């Protein structure tokens, strides 16, 4: 099974997620009407975060500036090994939880995601103190 197939299957198993072809190729992952990220083939994921979260992820070596739009909140992560595929899933999960928190704050989360305990799921990601401070504000609702 290809890395892309493994990642697509894993992310599609998360409550509320559906995937679709991405406009620039690959597969995008949607939570409601919001994209949490997309994958290009077996080699690259692109994910939108805030500029502050992106800067912290880059500083920690967990992601790279986006390959086309480096001055935005977008990150890129190149996949060349199984370890990289795991990190890509970690980044997508962070985006998923961040997006879910935003949707809940706005009253837009659907019932499929109601059982997800965002704080507990974030704890499983073992975020650095700095990254946790940037993300935890969103989970407080």
């Amino acid at each position: 099974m290809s890395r892309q197939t493994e990642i697509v299957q894993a992310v599609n198993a998360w409550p509320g997620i559906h995937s679709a072809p991405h406009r620039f190729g690959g597969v995008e992952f949607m939570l409601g009407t919001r994209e949490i990220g997309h994958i290009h083939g077996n080699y690259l994921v692109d994910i939108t975060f805030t500029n502050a979260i992106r800067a912290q992820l880059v500083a920690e070596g967990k992601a790279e500036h986006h390959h086309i739009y480096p001055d935005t909140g977008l990150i890129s992560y190149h996949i060349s090994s199984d370890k990289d595929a795991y990190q890509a899933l970690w980044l997508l999960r962070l985006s998923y939880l961040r997006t879910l928190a935003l949707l809940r704050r706005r009253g837009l989360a659907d019932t499929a995601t109601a059982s997800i305990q965002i704080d507990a799921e974030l704890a499983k990601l073992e975020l650095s103190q700095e990254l946790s401070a940037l993300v935890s504000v969103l989970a407080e609702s």
Side-chain angles (χ1 to χ4, degrees), residues 5 8 18 20 40 47 78-79 83-84 93 97 110 112 117 121 132-134 136:
T5 300
V8 169
H18 65 277
H40 296 284
I47 305 170
H78 290 85
I79 304 166
K83 182 179 176 186
D84 292 341
R93 186 69 175 179
L97 294 169
D110 67 21
Q117 300 294 320
E121 292 297 316
S132 182
L134 292 170
S136 65

Side-chain angles (χ1 to χ4, degrees), residues 17 116 133:
I17 289 288
I116 296 174

Side-chain angles (χ1 to χ4, degrees):
M1 183 180 323
S2 73
R3 288 190 181 108
Q4 179 179 6
T5 300
E6 290 176 10
I7 290 170
V8 169
Q9 286 180 352
V11 176
N12 278 337
W14 299 342
I17 289 288
H18 65 277
S19 59
H22 188 265
R23 66 186 179 276
F24 299 121
V27 178
E28 67 186 21
F29 304 106
M30 303 292 292
L31 180 58
T33 60
R34 299 196 58 155
E35 180 183 334
I36 67 160
H38 57 269
I39 186 168
H40 296 284
N42 291 314
Y43 61 91
L44 180 69
V45 292
D46 293 324
I47 305 170
T48 302
F49 289 104
T50 64
N51 286 342
I53 293 172
R54 184 251 319 146
Q56 188 60 41
L57 288 167
V58 171
E60 293 180 15
K62 292 182 178 350
E64 303 153 12
H65 291 274
H66 190 266
H67 60 283
I68 297 173
Y69 304 109
D71 297 323
T72 66
L74 287 164
I75 61 99
S76 290
Y77 189 79
H78 290 85
I79 304 166
S80 58
S81 69
D82 291 341
K83 182 179 176 186
D84 292 341
Y86 177 81
Q87 179 66 18
L89 280 169
W90 185 92
L91 289 162
L92 287 162
R93 186 69 175 179
L94 180 59
S95 177
Y96 171 75
L97 294 169
R98 177 185 161 273
T99 302
L100 179 56
L102 288 170
L103 291 174
R104 282 186 181 172
R105 286 190 128 192
R106 295 177 182 158
L108 300 173
D110 67 21
T111 57
T113 60
S115 65
I116 296 174
Q117 300 294 320
I118 295 174
D119 287 331
E121 292 297 316
L122 285 170
K124 290 178 188 177
L125 296 180
E126 299 180 353
L127 304 176
S128 68
Q129 187 174 16
E130 296 82 5
L131 196 52
S132 182
L134 292 170
V135 176
S136 65
V137 171
L138 299 170
E140 298 169 1
S141 48

